[in-house]
Amino acid sequence: MRVLELAQLFPQALEFVQEKFGKAFPLARFSGMQGILKTPKSFDIMDDSWTVDPKKLDLSLFVNKAGQPAHRRLPFSAEEHLESGEYVYGPKLRSHKDGDTFLALSVHDMHVVEIDRYRVPPYDFQREAELLKNLSMASQVRHRNLPDVLALGIADEFPFVVRPLIVGRDLAYTLQKLTSASRISILFRVFRVIDFLEKQSPFPGAYQFGYFEPCNIHLSFSGRILITGLGSQSLRNHQEQGHLADRQALLDLAEFLSIDLKGYKKQILDPQKGLETCIRHISSLSPEWCARTEENLSAFLRVEFLEEIQDDRAFYGLHTLQ
């Protein structure tokens, strides 16, 4: 890790956030990962049966293997490894346009988490600082369809974000099995997230994705829809028009889900107009699913993806569903 560069850039990246939010983000320094920003912890899990107990997880997953990030070995007994302040990498869970997501273990408080590592162009320190600033602001946002941010910082040359583990599949993977009603409810929830972010932003464009793709939309097997990538707009957009890119992403998502919104295109792409009318229209296409998305989606996934669910539960040391 570039400690000197981090010392120079990290305070600048956080300056605006701390000015706006005071001391909500004190800089915590942990052994091996100086400059980690800790955020208020919240494990908002709809179904406790999906909570992964690290004592039941195969800890051999976290032993060095070819092709995985370098890390030190983890003893097989979790009780013997209660050191503070380090995240130990496990296998890669998935990749996306801006980086990779890894299974990880927080040995400080023994939580199984996932770490999103972002790829920034080499020596682009300005963009790196901008990314940290935006990620810091985004971590303040609390919404049912946005994963909590537990920590963020730079380690091993990579900016990273720590989140609770998402057990499920992304939208691209599940698309072919989704029904018309389930597709409508997913689009409905994503529209509501963008509407929420626009209304909650302390200034226009403060909270944005800068465009999102189907691989950023995750369908948790518990039924919860989660969108990742908030605050990473500087990796895709340097024109400070990320909020327009998010609205374009809504239109592209509707097309991806085969839902016709052509009559609302002009309104959606106009940042001066709200999304309420379009949201009401989408809701009217499937009122029951939009009103009870998580309950319906959980039951649907349990039928259509039972094999994947049982495999994942076995992988994470959870009891199989009956």
PDB file of all heavy atoms in Angstrom, residues 184 188 264 277-288 290:
ATOM      1  N   ILE A 184     -41.167  -6.689 -13.615  1.00  0.00           N
ATOM      2  CA  ILE A 184     -41.790  -5.386 -13.337  1.00  0.00           C
ATOM      3  C   ILE A 184     -41.456  -4.927 -11.929  1.00  0.00           C
ATOM      4  O   ILE A 184     -41.123  -3.758 -11.702  1.00  0.00           O
ATOM      5  CB  ILE A 184     -43.322  -5.486 -13.536  1.00  0.00           C
ATOM      6  CG1 ILE A 184     -43.647  -5.650 -15.026  1.00  0.00           C
ATOM      7  CG2 ILE A 184     -44.027  -4.260 -12.955  1.00  0.00           C
ATOM      8  CD1 ILE A 184     -45.086  -6.054 -15.293  1.00  0.00           C
ATOM      9  N   PHE A 188     -39.461  -1.612 -10.805  1.00  0.00           N
ATOM     10  CA  PHE A 188     -40.133  -0.711  -9.873  1.00  0.00           C
ATOM     11  C   PHE A 188     -39.217  -0.343  -8.711  1.00  0.00           C
ATOM     12  O   PHE A 188     -39.075   0.833  -8.354  1.00  0.00           O
ATOM     13  CB  PHE A 188     -41.411  -1.385  -9.365  1.00  0.00           C
ATOM     14  CG  PHE A 188     -42.100  -0.670  -8.238  1.00  0.00           C
ATOM     15  CD1 PHE A 188     -42.804   0.503  -8.459  1.00  0.00           C
ATOM     16  CD2 PHE A 188     -42.053  -1.188  -6.953  1.00  0.00           C
ATOM     17  CE1 PHE A 188     -43.450   1.161  -7.416  1.00  0.00           C
ATOM     18  CE2 PHE A 188     -42.688  -0.543  -5.903  1.00  0.00           C
ATOM     19  CZ  PHE A 188     -43.388   0.638  -6.131  1.00  0.00           C
ATOM     20  N   TYR A 264     -42.267   7.231 -21.878  1.00  0.00           N
ATOM     21  CA  TYR A 264     -41.775   8.023 -20.748  1.00  0.00           C
ATOM     22  C   TYR A 264     -40.318   8.435 -20.929  1.00  0.00           C
ATOM     23  O   TYR A 264     -39.720   9.005 -20.020  1.00  0.00           O
ATOM     24  CB  TYR A 264     -41.914   7.214 -19.447  1.00  0.00           C
ATOM     25  CG  TYR A 264     -43.345   6.951 -19.047  1.00  0.00           C
ATOM     26  CD1 TYR A 264     -44.034   5.858 -19.554  1.00  0.00           C
ATOM     27  CD2 TYR A 264     -44.012   7.803 -18.174  1.00  0.00           C
ATOM     28  CE1 TYR A 264     -45.354   5.607 -19.192  1.00  0.00           C
ATOM     29  CE2 TYR A 264     -45.331   7.570 -17.801  1.00  0.00           C
ATOM     30  CZ  TYR A 264     -45.994   6.471 -18.321  1.00  0.00           C
ATOM     31  OH  TYR A 264     -47.300   6.244 -17.964  1.00  0.00           O
ATOM     32  N   THR A 277     -44.365   9.851 -11.740  1.00  0.00           N
ATOM     33  CA  THR A 277     -45.370   9.408 -12.712  1.00  0.00           C
ATOM     34  C   THR A 277     -44.987   8.074 -13.330  1.00  0.00           C
ATOM     35  O   THR A 277     -45.828   7.170 -13.473  1.00  0.00           O
ATOM     36  CB  THR A 277     -45.545  10.459 -13.825  1.00  0.00           C
ATOM     37  OG1 THR A 277     -45.920  11.706 -13.246  1.00  0.00           O
ATOM     38  CG2 THR A 277     -46.613  10.023 -14.815  1.00  0.00           C
ATOM     39  N   CYS A 278     -43.736   7.943 -13.664  1.00  0.00           N
ATOM     40  CA  CYS A 278     -43.262   6.685 -14.264  1.00  0.00           C
ATOM     41  C   CYS A 278     -43.322   5.547 -13.248  1.00  0.00           C
ATOM     42  O   CYS A 278     -43.679   4.419 -13.589  1.00  0.00           O
ATOM     43  CB  CYS A 278     -41.839   6.873 -14.780  1.00  0.00           C
ATOM     44  SG  CYS A 278     -41.269   5.532 -15.835  1.00  0.00           S
ATOM     45  N   ILE A 279     -42.993   5.839 -11.995  1.00  0.00           N
ATOM     46  CA  ILE A 279     -43.040   4.820 -10.948  1.00  0.00           C
ATOM     47  C   ILE A 279     -44.476   4.322 -10.755  1.00  0.00           C
ATOM     48  O   ILE A 279     -44.715   3.113 -10.612  1.00  0.00           O
ATOM     49  CB  ILE A 279     -42.468   5.382  -9.628  1.00  0.00           C
ATOM     50  CG1 ILE A 279     -40.956   5.571  -9.767  1.00  0.00           C
ATOM     51  CG2 ILE A 279     -42.782   4.448  -8.461  1.00  0.00           C
ATOM     52  CD1 ILE A 279     -40.316   6.271  -8.581  1.00  0.00           C
ATOM     53  N   ARG A 280     -45.431   5.240 -10.768  1.00  0.00           N
ATOM     54  CA  ARG A 280     -46.836   4.832 -10.628  1.00  0.00           C
ATOM     55  C   ARG A 280     -47.268   3.962 -11.798  1.00  0.00           C
ATOM     56  O   ARG A 280     -48.016   2.986 -11.627  1.00  0.00           O
ATOM     57  CB  ARG A 280     -47.732   6.068 -10.511  1.00  0.00           C
ATOM     58  CG  ARG A 280     -47.647   6.771  -9.167  1.00  0.00           C
ATOM     59  CD  ARG A 280     -48.809   7.741  -8.988  1.00  0.00           C
ATOM     60  NE  ARG A 280     -48.742   8.839  -9.945  1.00  0.00           N
ATOM     61  CZ  ARG A 280     -48.106   9.982  -9.722  1.00  0.00           C
ATOM     62  NH1 ARG A 280     -47.472  10.168  -8.558  1.00  0.00           N
ATOM     63  NH2 ARG A 280     -48.092  10.934 -10.633  1.00  0.00           N
ATOM     64  N   HIS A 281     -46.795   4.317 -12.996  1.00  0.00           N
ATOM     65  CA  HIS A 281     -47.139   3.507 -14.174  1.00  0.00           C
ATOM     66  C   HIS A 281     -46.584   2.088 -14.035  1.00  0.00           C
ATOM     67  O   HIS A 281     -47.302   1.112 -14.293  1.00  0.00           O
ATOM     68  CB  HIS A 281     -46.584   4.162 -15.437  1.00  0.00           C
ATOM     69  CG  HIS A 281     -46.633   3.269 -16.642  1.00  0.00           C
ATOM     70  ND1 HIS A 281     -47.807   2.908 -17.267  1.00  0.00           N
ATOM     71  CD2 HIS A 281     -45.620   2.628 -17.323  1.00  0.00           C
ATOM     72  CE1 HIS A 281     -47.539   2.101 -18.279  1.00  0.00           C
ATOM     73  NE2 HIS A 281     -46.226   1.912 -18.331  1.00  0.00           N
ATOM     74  N   ILE A 282     -45.326   1.972 -13.634  1.00  0.00           N
ATOM     75  CA  ILE A 282     -44.722   0.643 -13.483  1.00  0.00           C
ATOM     76  C   ILE A 282     -45.466  -0.165 -12.431  1.00  0.00           C
ATOM     77  O   ILE A 282     -45.761  -1.353 -12.612  1.00  0.00           O
ATOM     78  CB  ILE A 282     -43.233   0.774 -13.117  1.00  0.00           C
ATOM     79  CG1 ILE A 282     -42.461   1.470 -14.242  1.00  0.00           C
ATOM     80  CG2 ILE A 282     -42.625  -0.597 -12.834  1.00  0.00           C
ATOM     81  CD1 ILE A 282     -41.040   1.848 -13.872  1.00  0.00           C
ATOM     82  N   SER A 283     -45.808   0.468 -11.318  1.00  0.00           N
ATOM     83  CA  SER A 283     -46.536  -0.216 -10.255  1.00  0.00           C
ATOM     84  C   SER A 283     -47.883  -0.736 -10.732  1.00  0.00           C
ATOM     85  O   SER A 283     -48.329  -1.822 -10.341  1.00  0.00           O
ATOM     86  CB  SER A 283     -46.727   0.729  -9.073  1.00  0.00           C
ATOM     87  OG  SER A 283     -47.477   0.111  -8.049  1.00  0.00           O
ATOM     88  N   SER A 284     -48.540   0.030 -11.609  1.00  0.00           N
ATOM     89  CA  SER A 284     -49.859  -0.370 -12.108  1.00  0.00           C
ATOM     90  C   SER A 284     -49.795  -1.614 -12.993  1.00  0.00           C
ATOM     91  O   SER A 284     -50.799  -2.288 -13.198  1.00  0.00           O
ATOM     92  CB  SER A 284     -50.502   0.778 -12.893  1.00  0.00           C
ATOM     93  OG  SER A 284     -49.816   1.001 -14.133  1.00  0.00           O
ATOM     94  N   LEU A 285     -48.619  -1.940 -13.511  1.00  0.00           N
ATOM     95  CA  LEU A 285     -48.465  -3.111 -14.376  1.00  0.00           C
ATOM     96  C   LEU A 285     -48.528  -4.415 -13.589  1.00  0.00           C
ATOM     97  O   LEU A 285     -48.902  -5.454 -14.147  1.00  0.00           O
ATOM     98  CB  LEU A 285     -47.135  -3.024 -15.137  1.00  0.00           C
ATOM     99  CG  LEU A 285     -46.947  -1.815 -16.062  1.00  0.00           C
ATOM    100  CD1 LEU A 285     -45.553  -1.831 -16.679  1.00  0.00           C
ATOM    101  CD2 LEU A 285     -48.017  -1.791 -17.143  1.00  0.00           C
ATOM    102  N   SER A 286     -48.157  -4.360 -12.317  1.00  0.00           N
ATOM    103  CA  SER A 286     -48.224  -5.544 -11.455  1.00  0.00           C
ATOM    104  C   SER A 286     -48.302  -5.089  -9.997  1.00  0.00           C
ATOM    105  O   SER A 286     -47.312  -5.183  -9.259  1.00  0.00           O
ATOM    106  CB  SER A 286     -47.000  -6.447 -11.674  1.00  0.00           C
ATOM    107  OG  SER A 286     -47.104  -7.623 -10.901  1.00  0.00           O
ATOM    108  N   PRO A 287     -49.466  -4.596  -9.566  1.00  0.00           N
ATOM    109  CA  PRO A 287     -49.591  -4.011  -8.221  1.00  0.00           C
ATOM    110  C   PRO A 287     -49.223  -4.965  -7.095  1.00  0.00           C
ATOM    111  O   PRO A 287     -48.564  -4.568  -6.125  1.00  0.00           O
ATOM    112  CB  PRO A 287     -51.071  -3.618  -8.155  1.00  0.00           C
ATOM    113  CG  PRO A 287     -51.519  -3.513  -9.581  1.00  0.00           C
ATOM    114  CD  PRO A 287     -50.715  -4.526 -10.328  1.00  0.00           C
ATOM    115  N   GLU A 288     -49.632  -6.228  -7.193  1.00  0.00           N
ATOM    116  CA  GLU A 288     -49.398  -7.169  -6.102  1.00  0.00           C
ATOM    117  C   GLU A 288     -47.909  -7.455  -5.926  1.00  0.00           C
ATOM    118  O   GLU A 288     -47.395  -7.474  -4.811  1.00  0.00           O
ATOM    119  CB  GLU A 288     -50.176  -8.462  -6.372  1.00  0.00           C
ATOM    120  CG  GLU A 288     -50.377  -9.339  -5.141  1.00  0.00           C
ATOM    121  CD  GLU A 288     -49.180 -10.241  -4.859  1.00  0.00           C
ATOM    122  OE1 GLU A 288     -48.430 -10.537  -5.806  1.00  0.00           O
ATOM    123  OE2 GLU A 288     -49.005 -10.651  -3.697  1.00  0.00           O
ATOM    124  N   CYS A 290     -45.384  -5.543  -6.930  1.00  0.00           N
ATOM    125  CA  CYS A 290     -44.678  -4.325  -6.532  1.00  0.00           C
ATOM    126  C   CYS A 290     -44.898  -4.017  -5.056  1.00  0.00           C
ATOM    127  O   CYS A 290     -44.019  -3.468  -4.401  1.00  0.00           O
ATOM    128  CB  CYS A 290     -45.131  -3.147  -7.391  1.00  0.00           C
ATOM    129  SG  CYS A 290     -44.573  -3.250  -9.119  1.00  0.00           S
TER     130      CYS A 290
END
